[in-house]
Amino acid sequence: QVQLVESGGGLVQPGGSLRLSCAASGIISGTYSMGWHRRAPGKQRELVATITPGGMTNYADSVKGRFTISRDNAKNTVHLQMNSLKPDDTAVYYCKFERHWPSGADYWGQGTQVTVSS
């Protein structure tokens, strides 16, 4: 059974940093994109950042220049380094593994709370 476990969330002051990690277990060998999404209170879930199997990255305009996504294929892990955090970044952050080969499948973590407040 596939399981994604996020860690690294918490409370931070505006301008601070956090590093989220997501480790997958039970996944089969294949080709995966990895990403982070978030859901703020009263809002729909939105894409934050993605990284392809080849390492190409994509970011939401609201986090460009502040967040960095990276992956460790050997450990089936994806990270999100978040700098210069703002109160608007407050949300539950979810990691996602999207399998492209040998067959399509999406896997989600349970979410980790990030709160940016003074």
Side-chain angles (χ1 to χ4, degrees), residues 60-114:
D61 288 342
S62 59
V63 307
K64 282 181 181 177
R66 300 188 297 122
F67 291 10
T68 302
I69 188 171
S70 61
R71 61 190 287 166
D72 184 336
N73 293 327
K75 297 182 179 180
N76 291 324
T77 301
V78 61
H79 305 284
L80 186 68
Q81 178 66 44
M82 305 185 294
N83 299 328
S84 301
L85 283 161
K86 306 174 181 179
D88 284 349
D89 295 318
T90 296
V92 177
Y93 284 71
Y94 301 88
C95 66
K96 177 185 177 183
F97 278 42
E98 180 181 356
R99 191 174 69 213
H100 305 289
W101 182 90
S103 61
D106 291 343
Y107 303 100
W108 291 88
Q110 81 287 352
T112 186
Q113 177 70 47
V114 171

Side-chain angles (χ1 to χ4, degrees), residues 22-82:
C22 174
S25 61
I27 62 173
I28 66 173
S29 295
T31 304
Y32 292 83
S33 292
M34 302 175 187
W36 291 92
H37 295 66
R38 68 186 181 187
R39 177 175 285 158
K43 296 184 179 180
Q44 292 186 333
R45 187 167 60 190
E46 64 174 351
L47 174 71
V48 176
T50 60
I51 185 166
T52 68
M56 291 184 63
T57 59
N58 181 57
Y59 297 93
D61 288 342
S62 59
V63 307
K64 282 181 181 177
R66 300 188 297 122
F67 291 10
T68 302
I69 188 171
S70 61
R71 61 190 287 166
D72 184 336
N73 293 327
K75 297 182 179 180
N76 291 324
T77 301
V78 61
H79 305 284
L80 186 68
Q81 178 66 44
M82 305 185 294

